[in-house]
Amino acid sequence: ETGLAEEDKPLHRWLFVQLGPRRQVLGLVVHHLVFDGVSASVLFEDLHALLQGEPLAPCEGTYFDFVAREQQYLRGEDHARDREFWSNYLSGLAAQPGFSVRYRAPQGLPSKGGKKAFTLDPGARERLAGLARREGRSLHVLLLAGFAAMLDRYEPSAEFLVAVPFANRMAAADSRVVG
């Protein structure tokens, strides 16, 4: 069976396999409509705790509380203001040459993408974290700004868009909610 969220297809699949008396494998495929990456982390942490015989971490909120706050936001003035801001700020972006919302690389062309892993030494990390604190930003935002500055050095006249996933879990009670 292939595909998720297609007509008549499930949004998730789970498979539990007993390999031996004390060895099991749980395989799962879940569409992002069911839950986000934060939810996946919570689920795996909870499964690990249960397998270790440890108590589950407390969850202060519920998915229903989260949805209620989202619905309140969507009906409010903040949402209208945010939507107008981002619509204006990003207007015309999809119409720019070379920027397709649903981009598919032409067949036969090699990928020019890549990945470069690196580790900051503790001293450098602490200095960057200190700079982020002084500027009232997160380390993530500071590193993202550095990435954008590096892209600008390679192609100063080009405009580019950098996107990051965002879980929208602003309330502390939502940190362990799955949904």
Side-chain angles (χ1 to χ4, degrees):
E1 191 174 331
T2 60
L4 290 174
E6 296 174 12
E7 189 173 329
D8 299 325
K9 300 283 183 172
L11 293 175
H12 57 85
R13 286 193 211 103
W14 305 75
L15 177 65
F16 182 79
V17 180
Q18 183 81 38
L19 299 174
R22 296 192 41 81
R23 186 160 168 80
Q24 306 86 25
V25 174
L26 174 64
L28 65 128
V29 177
V30 183
H31 193 282
H32 67 91
L33 289 172
V34 175
F35 62 60
D36 60 5
V38 174
S39 295
S41 295
V42 171
L43 175 68
F44 295 135
E45 289 169 12
D46 286 355
L47 286 172
H48 183 263
L50 290 171
L51 289 170
Q52 300 299 315
E54 299 169 359
L56 297 179
C59 181
E60 297 172 18
T62 69
Y63 184 68
F64 297 107
D65 298 332
F66 175 76
V67 169
R69 279 192 297 280
E70 283 291 300
Q71 288 175 337
Q72 182 179 5
Y73 166 74
L74 291 172
R75 289 190 299 266
E77 291 179 18
D78 288 345
H79 175 256
R81 185 183 63 245
D82 291 347
R83 183 178 175 96
E84 181 180 354
F85 170 82
W86 287 110
S87 294
N88 290 335
Y89 190 80
L90 299 173
S91 69
L93 187 63
Q96 291 182 11
F99 182 80
S100 171
V101 174
R102 293 187 177 265
Y103 176 78
R104 285 197 166 86
Q107 283 188 325
L109 290 180
S111 170
K112 291 185 178 183
K115 180 168 50 172
K116 174 67 178 157
F118 67 94
T119 302
L120 291 174
D121 68 75
R125 189 202 180 285
E126 192 50 46
R127 288 189 301 278
L128 288 169
L131 174 61
R133 278 191 301 276
R134 286 191 302 279
E135 295 298 321
R137 303 292 181 256
S138 68
L139 181 57
H140 170 80
V141 168
L142 182 75
L143 292 173
L144 194 60
F147 177 66
M150 181 201 67
L151 289 175
D152 186 61
R153 289 194 76 174
Y154 282 106
E155 193 64 47
S157 62
E159 291 189 19
F160 54 89
L161 174 70
V162 177
V164 296
F166 180 69
N168 197 27
R169 293 171 182 251
M170 305 305 279
D174 296 334
S175 67
R176 297 206 44 84
V177 169
V178 173

